[in-house]
């Protein structure tokens, strides 16, 4: 009787081990590291980082912040399923059109948001940085957000290059921040600027 109990216990243990995918060198056929990786969050995602932050977002959108105070707000409905959003400091560049350099000055960091996204009708992406007051000689109409988009001349260049242009959107000061709203994110760089035409 003891032998029968021992045999049944051994058989049952072996079945449970196989059913759980146990045993050295064995696999259940499931990639447990990827399980749930593409499941969209059910609510807005709020995440902060140093010079870079990455977050999986879903239809509820969310907000990402960097240590330098830069922030991007993703509206609900801009993402259909689950998508990884990257927000980070970007390499420095000149964001002014050559003919407009006089009287212009950059404000805050150059930042990058990827991938390309589109806001639903009636809602916007909000880009902002800490910015409390305008320097002398500028008024609020001087505050703009420069944003990078692919150039229509891309086809004239080699296939392995990316040609971009800088566009400008009116910004405002609100709650100690420079704030701009965009209907889409081109997946490229942004920087606030002060533009004065003397």
């Amino acid at each position: 009787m003891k032998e029968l109990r021992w045999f049944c216990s051994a058989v049952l243990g072996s079945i449970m081990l196989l059913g759980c995918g146990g045993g050295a060198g064995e696999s259940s056929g499931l990639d447990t590291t990827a399980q749930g990786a593409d499941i969209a969050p059910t609510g807005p995602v709020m995440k902060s980082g140093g010079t870079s932050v990455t977050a999986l977002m879903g239809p509820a959108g969310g907000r990402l912040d960097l240590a330098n105070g830069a922030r991007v707000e993703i509206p609900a409905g801009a993402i259909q399923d689950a998508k990884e959003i990257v927000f980070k400091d970007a390499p420095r560049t000149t964001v002014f059109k050559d003919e407009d350099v006089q009287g212009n000055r950059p404000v805050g960091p150059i930042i990058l948001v990827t991938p390309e996204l589109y806001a639903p009708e009636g809602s916007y992406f909000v880009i902002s940085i800490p910015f409390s007051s305008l320097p002398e000689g500028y008024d609020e109409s001087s505050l703009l957000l420069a944003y990078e988009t692919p150039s229509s001349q891309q086809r004239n260049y080699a296939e392995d290059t990316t040609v971009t242009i800088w566009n400008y959107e009116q910004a405002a000061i609100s709650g100690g921040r420079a704030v701009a709203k965009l209907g889409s994110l081109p997946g490229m760089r942004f920087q606030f600027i002060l533009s004065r035409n003397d």
Side-chain angles (χ1 to χ4, degrees):
M1 192 67 174
K2 286 184 181 178
E3 289 85 356
L4 182 58
R5 268 192 234 144
W6 179 87
F7 176 77
C8 290
S9 296
V11 170
L12 185 58
S14 297
I15 291 171
M16 289 177 66
L17 185 62
L18 289 172
C20 295
E26 295 179 10
S27 171
S28 64
L30 297 175
D31 183 0
T32 56
T33 60
Q35 286 180 350
D38 294 323
I39 296 174
T42 56
V45 174
M46 307 293 179
K47 195 169 179 183
S48 299
T51 59
S52 178
V53 59
T54 301
L56 186 70
M57 288 192 182
R63 189 180 92 186
L64 301 177
D65 290 90
L66 297 178
N68 59 23
R71 176 181 297 161
V72 60
E73 298 171 49
I74 311 291
I79 300 168
Q80 299 307 310
D81 298 308
K83 194 164 293 223
E84 190 174 77
I85 309 300
V86 178
F87 183 39
K88 63 182 182 178
D89 290 344
R92 292 218 158 266
T93 188
T94 300
V95 303
F96 305 106
K97 294 177 181 175
D98 291 343
E99 66 270 21
D100 295 334
V101 171
Q102 288 295 337
N104 291 338
R105 50 193 282 195
V107 177
I110 296 178
I111 51 179
L112 171 72
V113 185
T114 59
E116 183 177 18
L117 294 171
Y118 296 88
E121 188 173 348
S123 62
Y124 301 92
F125 299 95
V126 180
I127 306 284
S128 67
I129 61 167
F131 188 74
S132 56
S133 62
L134 292 159
E136 186 177 348
Y138 294 91
D139 58 32
E140 195 158 320
S141 67
S142 304
L143 184 61
L144 305 171
L145 176 68
Y147 63 98
E148 191 178 27
T149 59
S151 170
S152 60
Q153 297 179 1
Q154 176 68 53
R155 63 183 178 275
N156 298 331
Y157 294 84
E159 291 181 6
D160 60 347
T161 63
T162 300
V163 179
T164 63
I165 59 172
W166 287 94
N167 307 274
Y168 306 96
E169 184 70 29
Q170 185 64 55
I173 300 174
S174 177
R177 301 183 70 83
V179 179
K181 297 179 179 180
L182 296 171
S184 64
L185 295 179
M188 294 185 170
R189 293 175 291 185
F190 298 87
Q191 184 174 37
F192 284 92
I193 64 170
L194 289 168
S195 178
R196 184 176 62 200
N197 294 317
D198 294 328

